[in-house]
Amino acid sequence: MKDRPLILITNDDGVEAKGINELTECLLDLGDVVVFAPDGPRSDMSSAITSEVPIKYTLVKKTNGLTIYKCTGTPVDCVKLSISEVLDRKPDLLVSSINHGGNMAISVLYSGTMGAAAEGCIFGVPSLGVSLLDHRPDADFTESCRLGRMVARRILKEGLPAGTYLNLNVSKTDAVKGMKICRQAAGKWVKEYKRSENGAGKPVFWLTGSFENAKPIHPDNDTLALDSGYASLVPCKLDVTDYEWTEQYKDWGV
Amino acid sequence: MKDRPLILITNDDGVEAKGINELTECLLDLGDVVVFAPDGPRSDMSSAITSEVPIKYTLVKKTNGLTIYKCTGTPVDCVKLSISEVLDRKPDLLVSSINHGGNMAISVLYSGTMGAAAEGCIFGVPSLGVSLLDHRPDADFTESCRLGRMVARRILKEGLPAGTYLNLNVSKTDAVKGMKICRQAAGKWVKEYKRSENGAGKPVFWLTGSFENAKPIHPDNDTLALDSGYASLVPCKLDVTDYEWTEQYKDWGV
């Protein structure tokens, strides 16, 4: 009998977050599911890894077709450790999700959710990150579960090219209009710090701010799709080499 | 009188590391230098940012043409906070370096050094990361300072395209043969965990391992250049969109 697909699920909001648990429920019929996620929030950890201290993991629950572990590491540590040391075979799909909050545009760089998806891709596992543009712990994941499941099924059926992973973001609305294939919006966060004071009266800085698109704004950028009530699907590459530059600036070599 | 170029220097090994201090000395005559670096080691932090707690910074030293600050945040926090709240003008160059240890191949994803360089690029500052393939605290930075300075001067003179930052790695040798323009090597780290036991006899896992190139190995990949005694210069893009995929898989949209 052919094995059922093995689906590895992780996130950066921690194993107890609503987003990861709702998506897990939605994917249970697609294969054997292993959740291997941080033991608490690890947002904004990007592709950070833990090398100065050891990490460990604990079994939370094991039932028919679903095993849940929690881990002291970062999202990327979770992917590395589970695939290297815990799973008995390579997963057929990694889903890092559902994040409480958007990871569109350049936020893909800071996101622990997307760091984990990139890491799955490094291991040759077709990988997807899913994020809902709603930070609330009790956010409504109905639409993001539906779309996440749809893309997960398609990946299981058709695969992804080596070195490419997917970034799905879902706008905060009761009825998403559809899902557009997009590019990562260029731009940056502005007004990023709120100055405050600590107990001793010294200045401290809280990260905040808002995203500002760079011009020209490409009509297929992910922020525009999300602003108009769509979900955005951006394929991301592990290889960040700027090949145009290598061609044009060969004479920088010495 | 025209302002001297403003050069922002940061790293992920902390403000007291040998690498950042030697490079700072080497760049002092190229402009006004501000060092704004983590107050201790922040290796492997990738593009992680600090949002759950506030960050702060402290003046370490101010002399003619050189100001040094230390910051409680990650390398990316250092770039964000210094440009947003501390510097009186936008830097003409950001140098994140010199890292004690290599950041070639996919290590660009995990590296705090390169996270900081990417962040400078987001701010529109021409940005360069420099790493020496030697982890020792007392490593010899002579060759990496020479090449880092050379590339820094060229960036100050010619600039970099928007959205592109540079990753310079220098092999551990007394006499580097030259500097090759390279692509980021594909591949992954293997045998990544050393199993051990904590004080209570429970298993813990230390990150370790070695890098394995993916096949086919492109002759212009950075690991090959470094293995044969050269330095490698890889131009990196902020935009990780896989445009081939967006063209080929348009029908994934709904």
Side-chain angles (χ1 to χ4, degrees):
Chain A
M1 194 185 83
K2 196 177 172 308
D3 282 338
R4 279 158 56 86
L6 177 59
I7 302 171
L8 174 61
I9 301 180
T10 191
N11 75 345
D12 74 359
D13 293 315
V15 72
E16 290 175 5
K18 188 181 179 201
I20 192 169
N21 285 294
E22 295 218 348
L23 187 82
T24 299
E25 283 298 317
C26 275
L27 300 185
L28 278 180
D29 66 320
L30 299 184
D32 291 335
V33 174
V34 175
V35 174
F36 198 101
D39 57 10
R42 303 285 191 285
S43 286
D44 302 326
M45 288 299 284
S46 186
S47 287
I49 50 180
T50 306
S51 53
E52 291 295 313
V53 295
I55 58 172
K56 55 186 179 161
Y57 69 95
T58 316
L59 179 67
V60 175
K61 174 176 155 182
K62 188 173 167 65
T63 58
N64 198 13
L66 172 64
T67 312
I68 302 178
Y69 299 96
K70 63 181 181 182
C71 172
T72 57
T74 65
V76 167
D77 291 333
C78 287
V79 176
K80 283 183 181 295
L81 187 63
S82 60
I83 298 180
S84 302
E85 299 287 333
V86 181
L87 302 178
D88 57 7
R89 57 193 163 110
K90 190 167 123 176
D92 300 285
L93 171 68
L94 177 145
V95 188
S96 177
S97 65
I98 295 173
N99 192 60
H100 294 239
N103 284 314
M104 58 289 185
I106 55 161
S107 297
V108 66
L109 291 181
Y110 309 120
S111 161
T113 303
M114 292 312 298
E119 189 63 29
C121 185
I122 289 172
F123 274 93
V125 177
S127 297
L128 163 71
V130 188
S131 305
L132 174 67
L133 275 67
D134 189 339
H135 283 95
R136 291 174 304 176
D138 65 342
D140 178 355
F141 289 95
T142 313
E143 286 288 82
S144 47
C145 276
R146 179 177 68 81
L147 289 163
R149 179 186 158 87
M150 184 187 78
V151 177
R153 286 186 69 183
R154 189 138 188 190
I155 294 174
L156 281 171
K157 199 172 153 202
E158 301 181 35
L160 288 174
T164 298
Y165 55 103
L166 299 182
N167 182 16
L168 172 62
N169 279 273
V170 181
S171 56
K172 182 182 160 185
T173 163
D174 291 344
V176 174
K177 289 182 189 165
M179 183 179 74
K180 292 191 176 178
I181 310 301
C182 297
R183 73 168 69 202
Q184 169 195 327
K188 65 181 167 89
W189 288 79
V190 295
K191 296 182 183 158
E192 287 196 293
Y193 287 100
K194 195 165 80 177
R195 186 188 277 252
S196 183
E197 277 186 3
N198 66 10
K202 303 278 185 197
V204 296
F205 298 85
W206 290 92
L207 194 63
T208 173
S210 56
F211 181 74
E212 193 175 81
N213 265 291
K215 298 198 170 127
I217 301 177
H218 294 281
D220 62 343
N221 105 19
D222 55 359
T223 65
L224 297 184
L226 292 159
D227 285 348
S228 48
Y230 285 83
S232 65
L233 187 65
V234 177
C236 306
K237 290 181 74 161
L238 288 181
D239 182 1
V240 299
T241 308
D242 181 350
Y243 289 99
E244 277 180 45
W245 196 93
T246 60
E247 278 308 304
Q248 220 173 328
Y249 296 86
K250 274 193 182 124
D251 69 314
W252 284 47
V254 289
Chain B
M1 195 183 84
K2 198 178 173 302
D3 281 339
R4 278 157 57 86
L6 176 60
I7 302 172
L8 175 62
I9 301 181
T10 191
N11 74 347
D12 74 358
D13 292 315
V15 71
E16 289 175 7
K18 187 181 179 202
I20 192 169
N21 285 295
E22 296 219 347
L23 187 82
T24 298
E25 284 298 318
C26 275
L27 299 185
L28 277 180
D29 66 319
L30 299 184
D32 290 335
V33 174
V34 175
V35 174
F36 198 101
D39 57 10
R42 303 284 191 287
S43 285
D44 302 327
M45 287 300 284
S46 186
S47 287
I49 50 180
T50 306
S51 52
E52 292 294 315
V53 295
I55 59 171
K56 55 186 179 161
Y57 69 95
T58 316
L59 178 68
V60 175
K61 173 176 155 181
K62 188 172 166 66
T63 58
N64 198 14
L66 172 64
T67 312
I68 302 179
Y69 299 96
K70 63 181 180 181
C71 172
T72 56
T74 66
V76 167
D77 291 334
C78 287
V79 176
K80 283 184 182 293
L81 187 63
S82 59
I83 298 181
S84 302
E85 300 287 332
V86 181
L87 302 178
D88 56 7
R89 58 193 163 111
K90 192 167 123 177
D92 300 285
L93 172 68
L94 178 145
V95 188
S96 177
S97 66
I98 296 173
N99 192 59
H100 295 239
N103 283 315
M104 59 289 186
I106 55 161
S107 297
V108 67
L109 291 180
Y110 309 121
S111 160
T113 303
M114 293 312 298
E119 190 63 30
C121 185
I122 289 173
F123 274 93
V125 177
S127 296
L128 163 71
V130 187
S131 305
L132 174 68
L133 275 67
D134 189 339
H135 283 94
R136 292 174 303 176
D138 65 342
D140 178 356
F141 289 95
T142 313
E143 285 289 83
S144 47
C145 277
R146 180 177 67 82
L147 290 162
R149 180 186 157 88
M150 184 187 78
V151 177
R153 286 185 70 182
R154 188 138 190 190
I155 294 174
L156 281 172
K157 198 172 153 201
E158 301 182 34
L160 288 174
T164 297
Y165 55 103
L166 299 182
N167 183 15
L168 172 63
N169 280 272
V170 181
S171 56
K172 182 181 159 185
T173 164
D174 291 342
V176 174
K177 289 184 192 164
M179 183 179 75
K180 291 192 175 178
I181 310 301
C182 296
R183 72 168 69 201
Q184 168 194 328
K188 66 182 166 90
W189 289 78
V190 295
K191 297 182 183 157
E192 287 196 292
Y193 288 100
K194 194 165 80 175
R195 186 188 278 251
S196 184
E197 277 186 5
N198 65 12
K202 304 278 186 197
V204 296
F205 298 85
W206 290 92
L207 195 62
T208 173
S210 57
F211 182 75
E212 193 174 81
N213 264 291
K215 298 204 170 122
I217 300 177
H218 295 280
D220 62 344
N221 105 19
D222 54 0
T223 64
L224 297 185
L226 291 159
D227 285 349
S228 47
Y230 286 82
S232 64
L233 187 65
V234 177
C236 304
K237 290 180 74 160
L238 288 180
D239 182 1
V240 299
T241 307
D242 181 351
Y243 289 100
E244 276 181 46
W245 196 94
T246 60
E247 278 308 303
Q248 220 174 328
Y249 295 87
K250 273 194 182 123
D251 69 314
W252 284 46
V254 290

